[in-house]
Amino acid sequence: MFYCSCRQLKFSYAAKSLFITQPTLSQSIKKLEAELNTSLFIHNDKQFHLTKTGEILYNKGKKIVKDFDELIEELHQTQDKQKETIRVGLTALFAIQFMKEISTFIATHPNVDIHFTQGGSRKIQQMLAEGKIDVGLNSFPQIHDDIIMEPLNTTTHGYNVSVVMDQSHPLASRNTISFSDLKDASFSTLTEDFMLGKLVTERTRSLGFEPNIVFINNDWEVLTHSLTNLNSVSLLPTEYEHFSKLKSLVWIPLADKNNHYPIGISLKKNTICSESVTDFIKLIKSN
């Protein structure tokens, strides 16, 4: 209050800048003068000027205030620099299914910056093996030896696989569809960064035919929008049907040994988890 009063030249101005009344400011100044046993101002009701001791206190005080402001700024910068960053890789489906736990973590860990990389499970495992992310939330099977995948015993067990197509497609009336049934079909498919993208090429080739891939995209919504115009089929997690707005599509269960993909939480081998990473994993496991 003293420093502000000196800068404003009038008690009324100083009081307004401090959002207090002028009598309150005057009393505070008198209290300070009593504690220091000296007069700091020669003043009347409207204006004032500093006494000699007031000038000494003001000049010394300017440096103290400046040093204090710089200290606070340095502390804030240090705090920002010490913020922990966690890099998480996950699929779009798992981001939706675990959004409640992710949101809880963000709300309860304000000093942690969490960066998300969205992609296919195969790509996420690759990034984890290369040290580009810290935690993976992805589906089995494990394809890298230098990572560790732990199955999640949560309400979300993974996803099932459906063959998706327009209701006018020749196969649309089937109860189930196998890869043999898809020999003459055109595919709109995910890339091989995804388990299902790799499944299309692996299973069709194992049955002796090359898949007729007419469209490739990593966004499941883009794929579903391509199916009617291209008269194609797509292998997608059955769980996406709930989120799809295209009512003209049918989602038929895939009859195959690879029609279910369990979910796991993944780390690079020999990783020592920080407290924040441990908290994140615990929250995911609470789903």
Side-chain angles (χ1 to χ4, degrees):
M1 289 184 181
F2 168 77
Y3 182 66
C4 184
S5 298
C6 294
R7 295 182 63 186
Q8 295 293 337
L9 300 179
K10 286 187 178 182
F11 278 150
S12 58
Y13 293 165
K16 284 181 181 179
S17 68
L18 292 168
F19 301 100
I20 60 175
T21 63
Q22 185 173 333
T24 300
L25 177 59
S26 297
Q27 285 206 347
S28 297
I29 295 298
K30 287 178 181 178
K31 184 178 178 182
L32 177 61
E33 289 177 327
E35 289 176 354
L36 297 176
N37 195 27
T38 186
S39 295
L40 299 173
F41 297 103
I42 299 173
H43 54 84
N44 55 35
D45 290 338
K46 293 183 178 180
Q47 289 185 310
F48 60 86
H49 62 269
L50 292 167
T51 63
K52 200 154 200 76
T53 53
E55 288 179 357
I56 293 171
L57 180 60
Y58 175 64
N59 291 327
K60 295 287 186 180
K62 282 194 296 185
K63 185 176 186 309
I64 293 172
V65 171
K66 182 175 179 292
D67 289 346
F68 182 75
D69 288 343
E70 290 176 352
L71 173 61
I72 295 300
E73 178 63 24
E74 184 178 346
L75 291 175
H76 285 162
Q77 290 179 355
T78 301
Q79 185 178 26
D80 290 340
K81 289 177 182 177
Q82 290 178 343
K83 263 190 148 184
E84 182 181 357
T85 298
I86 300 176
R87 303 165 299 169
V88 179
L90 74 175
T91 67
L93 177 61
F94 297 154
I96 294 170
Q97 292 175 325
F98 288 87
M99 185 50 65
K100 178 182 176 182
E101 289 72 28
I102 291 170
S103 299
T104 299
F105 179 85
I106 292 172
T108 56
H109 292 74
N111 291 324
V112 177
D113 284 330
I114 185 162
H115 296 173
F116 294 100
T117 298
Q118 188 175 299
S121 290
R122 292 173 57 84
K123 180 65 174 180
I124 290 168
Q125 291 190 44
Q126 178 69 35
M127 293 181 70
L128 196 61
E130 294 173 353
K132 294 179 178 178
I133 56 175
D134 304 305
V135 184
L137 189 57
N138 51 271
S139 59
F140 282 88
Q142 180 177 331
I143 61 174
H144 286 279
D145 292 334
D146 46 1
I147 69 171
I148 298 171
M149 286 187 65
E150 178 186 353
L152 285 179
N153 185 24
T154 63
T155 55
T156 300
H157 299 293
Y159 61 87
N160 299 309
V161 184
S162 285
V163 185
V164 189
M165 66 196 72
D166 187 82
Q167 58 190 4
S168 64
H169 194 280
L171 298 174
S173 61
R174 299 287 189 95
N175 292 324
T176 61
I177 294 178
S178 68
F179 274 103
S180 297
D181 299 324
L182 299 172
K183 186 174 182 179
D184 298 320
S186 299
F187 287 87
S188 292
T189 182
L190 297 161
T191 70
E192 293 192 1
D193 287 345
F194 292 76
M195 294 299 179
L196 294 184
K198 186 67 172 176
L199 179 65
V200 168
T201 55
E202 280 190 344
R203 291 293 288 129
T204 55
R205 289 168 185 171
S206 71
L207 294 170
F209 68 94
E210 191 70 19
N212 179 27
I213 297 174
V214 294
F215 186 70
I216 301 175
N217 197 279
N218 282 347
D219 188 319
W220 71 273
E221 289 186 286
V222 174
L223 289 178
T224 56
H225 278 82
S226 75
L227 299 179
T228 299
N229 290 332
L230 296 175
N231 194 33
S232 56
V233 304
S234 186
L235 265 60
L236 292 171
T238 305
E239 287 70 14
Y240 275 139
E241 182 178 6
H242 175 73
F243 305 105
S244 177
K245 297 178 181 178
L246 300 178
K247 303 307 178 185
S248 63
L249 301 182
V250 293
W251 298 66
I252 303 172
L254 176 68
D256 191 80
K257 62 182 180 179
N258 298 305
N259 62 1
H260 178 76
Y261 285 83
I263 185 175
I265 192 106
S266 306
L267 296 168
K268 190 171 184 179
K269 274 186 178 177
N270 302 318
T271 295
I272 299 175
C273 294
S274 68
E275 183 178 346
S276 297
V277 171
T278 301
D279 288 346
F280 178 77
I281 294 173
K282 284 181 180 178
L283 270 173
I284 293 299
K285 289 180 177 180
S286 70
N287 174 282

